[in-house]
Amino acid sequence: MDEHRRDRLSIESARRLQRQLPTEITPGLTDSEFDTIESCYNFRFADDHRAFLAAGLPVDEPESGWRGWPDWRRDDTEVLRAWLAQPAEGVLFDVEHNGFWHPAWGDQPADPIRCLGIARRGLEAAPRLVPVFGHRFLPGIAGQ
């Protein structure tokens, strides 16, 4: 077994981890469900994230009002799209309002509109951050 494969989260390890969570765990996502999600949102789950969701899908109690876990099976497409957009929107907010500028984007233009355009293109080229829980995300793998 190569070292890369040995370091991946196994389904059994993911299930042990999930037993420690104070939330309901529903049956894991199937290969077909992964294919549908990844095609719809144009990314692939990282190996460990995929193993975790294949072992079981954590879901929030609807009456709690708390949205911690994305429900890849039942959430509305627009809800998931908005969740996926949060990290980039946060960066764009900081570009516009707080003067954030990443060195990889080159010299910062004086024009705020140009700044946002360059930052937006830079973020589109970066790996998509995929929600895990609340405001915690993992990088996905670029879509097929």
Side-chain angles (χ1 to χ4, degrees):
M1 175 184 316
D2 68 60
E3 189 170 322
H4 179 67
R5 283 184 122 346
R6 184 175 57 235
D7 291 342
R8 289 184 184 165
L9 182 67
S10 70
I11 297 292
E12 296 78 30
S13 296
R15 285 189 177 126
R16 280 195 305 274
L17 175 63
Q18 288 174 345
R19 283 194 290 274
Q20 305 301 312
L21 296 174
T23 193
E24 179 185 356
I25 306 296
T26 61
L29 295 175
T30 65
D31 287 339
S32 174
E33 288 173 314
F34 278 114
D35 290 345
T36 299
I37 294 163
E38 292 171 339
S39 174
C40 181
Y41 302 105
N42 196 33
F43 73 88
R44 287 188 7 246
F45 288 96
D47 291 340
D48 286 347
H49 197 178
R50 186 180 184 101
F52 181 78
L53 296 174
L57 182 65
V59 295
D60 295 311
E61 301 296 325
E63 59 276 354
S64 75
W66 165 249
R67 287 305 319 258
W69 299 100
D71 188 339
W72 295 102
R73 187 174 282 131
R74 293 183 300 196
D75 277 345
D76 181 82
T77 303
E78 291 309 309
V79 168
L80 291 170
R81 284 191 196 288
W83 211 331
L84 284 160
Q86 284 178 358
E89 288 176 3
V91 172
L92 292 172
F93 178 90
D94 283 341
V95 167
E96 184 175 12
H97 299 283
N98 299 318
F100 174 77
W101 191 254
H102 195 283
W105 300 335
D107 293 333
Q108 184 174 6
D111 178 14
I113 301 298
R114 286 197 59 226
C115 286
L116 283 173
I118 292 168
R120 187 171 281 111
R121 285 189 297 279
L123 292 167
E124 287 169 358
R128 160 95 27 103
L129 293 177
V130 180
V132 176
F133 178 80
H135 64 273
R136 292 150 190 94
F137 291 74
L138 283 172
I141 300 166
Q144 306 60 290

